Amino acid sequence: MLAKLKTFSLLGIEALPVVVEVDVSPGALPKTVLVGLPEAAVKESTHRVERAIVNSGFMRPQDRVVINMAPAELPKQAASFDLPITLGMLAGSGQFESELLESYAVVGELSLEGNTRPVKGALSMAISAAQQEGLRGLVVPSNSAAEAAVVEEIEVIPVASLAQAVGFFSGALEIDPTPSRLEELFEVYAGYEEDFCDVRGQEMAKRALTIAAAGRHNLLMVGPPGSGKTMLAKRVPTIMPGLTAGESIETTRVYSALGRLKPGQPLMAKRPFRSPHHTISDAGLVGGGSTPTPGEISLSHNGVLFLDELPEFNRRTLEVLRQPLEDGVVTISRALNSTTFPAEFMLIAALNPCPCGYRNDPRRQCNCNPPQIERYMGKISGPLLDRVDIHIEVPAVAFKDLSTAPPGTSSHVMREQTLAARTVQERRFAETATRYNAQMTTREIRRFCRLDDVCLEILRTNVNELGLSARAHDKVLRVSRTIADLDGCETIAPAHIQEAVNYRMLDRALWT
């Protein structure tokens, strides 16, 4: 007999439909043949499947079994094929009959005793299932059901074992679909423990971070060790608007495909904050591998990527950030295919002003000579620095600020300012693909960042003095637009231009 089941194969973060065909026919000796470009994990599944069948109380087919996974040219490399292969063998050998195999797709890994184990990419598979005509739902392991149930358009049937799956398809067991709990998940997981009021002093840095979060601008902090750069960066997600349902699903898909979701948390409800070590490789940062997988910039999608000790990173590794910073996506090309991953993140970088870290610190002596400082700063290329909108200095905090100063500006206050500016941007870009001031095109800059004669003269003078590039010129205008939005102004005033230019002063101070 021939049995057909529908399932999915994960390629990057996309789930592609696969048909599992199982033919059980009489043969002189029992033999199982697996075809359709299976990788090692799928080839090994035949041994798991056979023991799961026996240990679940079913009969192992004593015939020739041919299992084909179509399309044949698509590599299949996950253990999520265990359950559809097993059900196909049981249906093909006549141990159960079902009319539901056409209406439900199946994914799941099996243990030797026949219990199901969670699979990677359950959310992407549910999204793909919702787009397939004729599919009512998706049968998944119980531990992956809450994640897949985020997609409300299909039924998600949880099964804890092979026996439950057979019972459902044969009609002997009714299993209620797992309900979607989007609102409840956001209520439970959307809170932050960090708060900007924990950071004493650094009010100027907080102002710059508020501007960066309001317009989603990239930011660079320069300061001595212990001045609070890492504390400030870790608290940036607390002042950004909460994830929308669409953004949450986009981000969760990446974490789900890599198996990075926390146990019991089927949905990313907070903006991600990623801080990779400076020894990270190119593939670890942007993604890669023989079968492309997402890197840190995709794990930071809709969140913050923090690069601490920026000059310690390999220069080539930093250079691969240039294209994703501009495009918001990263494409990994291989001989057989290319895969595109989302990479819309806010970049925050931190570094010391010199190798010892104490240049311009009035309390400590710097022992670095000019050639050492030039080599240290020369690890960061001009084109990469050009893509950072805001550069700020984070000085050491005075003792009086640490011991007696009242708590600083809180995340709640800063978030209210950010939300007000984002509301203005939503109205401004309602009819375009742009979402934030940092994404404005050249045409939109000319339309929304018009300057009067005074502002134009201030900008001209500073561009000539600092030697800013055309890209840096546009970034000054974008930052000026965000500052004006925070102040509730329709037009850009001279004070807004001057403040935006001040955030480019490190161009001259350290790199020229």
Side-chain angles (χ1 to χ4, degrees):
M1 288 180 61
L2 176 65
K4 290 185 178 181
L5 290 94
K6 298 176 180 178
T7 186
F8 296 94
S9 178
L10 206 61
L11 185 64
I13 63 171
E14 299 293 334
L16 304 179
V18 172
V19 176
V20 175
E21 301 172 326
V22 182
D23 182 75
V24 181
S25 56
L29 292 173
K31 186 176 183 181
T32 301
V33 180
L34 191 61
V35 296
L37 209 57
E39 301 290 344
V42 184
K43 289 179 180 178
E44 294 172 352
S45 68
T46 55
H47 305 294
R48 287 193 301 271
V49 162
E50 289 175 356
R51 299 320 306 163
I53 289 175
V54 174
N55 292 330
S56 298
F58 299 99
M59 293 293 294
R60 173 190 168 190
Q62 300 297 316
D63 298 308
R64 178 181 175 87
V65 179
V66 179
I67 303 166
N68 177 46
M69 293 177 287
E73 70 274 7
L74 177 68
K76 290 85 177 179
Q77 57 177 347
S80 60
F81 293 100
D82 287 4
L83 190 54
I85 287 174
T86 309
L87 290 172
M89 291 174 67
L90 294 177
S93 59
Q95 298 187 51
F96 79 92
E97 294 182 359
S98 176
E99 297 179 356
L100 298 178
L101 294 179
E102 285 291 324
S103 304
Y104 288 86
V106 186
V107 294
E109 180 183 349
L110 288 176
S111 67
L112 294 183
E113 59 184 350
N115 293 331
T116 58
R117 288 177 172 156
V119 295
K120 296 180 180 178
L123 177 57
S124 293
M125 294 175 183
I127 293 173
S128 183
Q131 297 169 351
Q132 300 293 315
E133 292 186 7
L135 273 185
R136 283 178 53 191
L138 180 68
V139 176
V140 298
S142 297
N143 290 338
S144 300
E147 177 188 333
V150 169
V151 182
E152 299 176 339
E153 290 82 4
I154 61 165
E155 297 178 5
V156 175
I157 307 298
V159 292
S161 65
L162 172 61
Q164 280 192 10
V166 173
F168 170 75
F169 279 105
S170 65
L173 178 65
E174 289 189 8
I175 302 178
D176 293 330
T178 301
S180 178
R181 301 182 294 121
L182 269 178
E183 294 182 2
E184 181 182 339
L185 291 171
F186 273 103
E187 290 178 3
V188 173
Y189 296 112
Y192 293 93
E193 294 182 2
E194 299 86 0
D195 196 292
F196 267 106
C197 67
D198 300 330
V199 183
R200 298 298 181 95
Q202 307 298 8
E203 291 301 312
M204 293 299 293
K206 290 182 183 180
R207 164 69 175 173
L209 287 167
T210 302
I211 295 169
R216 223 209 67 183
H217 301 287
N218 301 320
L219 181 138
L220 175 73
M221 295 184 284
V222 182
S227 58
K229 302 185 294 294
T230 303
M231 281 187 72
L232 289 165
K234 284 184 176 179
R235 284 156 177 75
V236 170
T238 67
I239 64 173
M240 299 173 74
L243 283 174
T244 64
E247 289 175 335
S248 177
I249 290 174
E250 288 176 3
T251 307
T252 304
R253 288 182 68 190
V254 179
Y255 280 76
S256 171
L258 293 174
R260 298 284 188 90
L261 288 176
K262 295 179 181 178
Q265 182 178 341
L267 190 70
M268 295 287 292
K270 295 191 290 188
R271 292 192 179 273
F273 177 87
R274 303 294 300 179
S275 180
H277 193 259
H278 59 76
T279 56
I280 191 171
S281 66
D282 300 2
L285 188 62
V286 300
S290 55
T291 300
T293 55
E296 287 290 337
I297 62 174
S298 296
L299 288 168
S300 307
H301 182 57
N302 290 320
V304 174
L305 176 66
F306 177 51
L307 301 182
D308 201 4
E309 305 297 344
L310 189 65
E312 301 299 333
F313 283 79
N314 185 296
R315 177 161 180 159
R316 177 185 165 187
T317 303
L318 291 178
E319 292 306 300
V320 297
L321 284 175
R322 285 157 58 173
Q323 177 263 335
L325 281 172
E326 292 288 321
D327 299 343
V329 296
V330 58
T331 300
I332 311 296
S333 297
R334 294 292 178 262
L336 296 178
N337 56 49
S338 62
T339 307
T340 299
F341 300 123
E344 270 198 23
F345 59 92
M346 176 178 167
L347 175 65
I348 298 181
L351 69 154
N352 298 325
C354 65
C356 78
Y358 296 106
R359 183 186 179 199
N360 297 330
D361 189 337
R363 300 177 300 176
R364 300 286 293 270
Q365 181 178 356
C366 174
N367 298 316
C368 304
N369 56 44
Q372 287 177 316
I373 296 173
E374 288 178 7
R375 281 195 301 270
Y376 182 74
M377 292 301 178
K379 294 180 181 179
I380 307 170
S381 70
L384 178 63
L385 186 69
D386 222 21
R387 286 167 168 81
V388 180
D389 307 40
I390 298 174
H391 315 149
I392 60 170
E393 187 172 2
V394 184
V397 183
F399 176 76
K400 64 178 182 178
D401 292 331
L402 293 173
S403 58
T404 60
T409 308
S410 68
S411 292
H412 175 73
V413 173
M414 297 168 69
R415 190 166 185 265
E416 290 297 321
Q417 297 172 356
T418 300
L419 290 174
R422 287 286 181 96
T423 302
V424 174
Q425 293 170 59
E426 285 179 10
R427 292 197 299 266
R428 177 181 300 133
F429 305 123
E431 299 179 358
T432 68
T434 304
R435 296 164 62 191
Y436 319 106
N437 286 337
Q439 297 176 326
M440 278 194 290
T441 63
T442 305
R443 184 177 300 173
E444 288 170 337
I445 290 174
R446 289 197 298 267
R447 177 182 175 187
F448 299 119
C449 302
R450 293 174 180 168
L451 305 179
D452 58 24
D453 292 340
V454 177
C455 292
L456 204 58
E457 184 59 33
I458 293 173
L459 183 60
R460 181 185 298 110
T461 302
N462 282 281
V463 165
N464 291 333
E465 285 184 2
L466 294 175
L468 298 182
S469 66
R471 180 186 286 114
H473 165 274
D474 287 353
K475 287 191 177 297
V476 168
L477 290 175
R478 292 186 182 105
V479 173
S480 302
R481 182 66 267 170
T482 302
I483 297 171
D485 291 343
L486 285 168
D487 289 348
C489 298
E490 289 289 334
T491 58
I492 298 175
H496 303 148
I497 281 284
Q498 193 62 59
E499 183 177 359
V501 169
N502 286 339
Y503 292 134
R504 303 292 307 188
M505 294 300 285
L506 292 181
D507 283 342
R508 178 175 58 188
L510 292 175
W511 278 274
T512 60

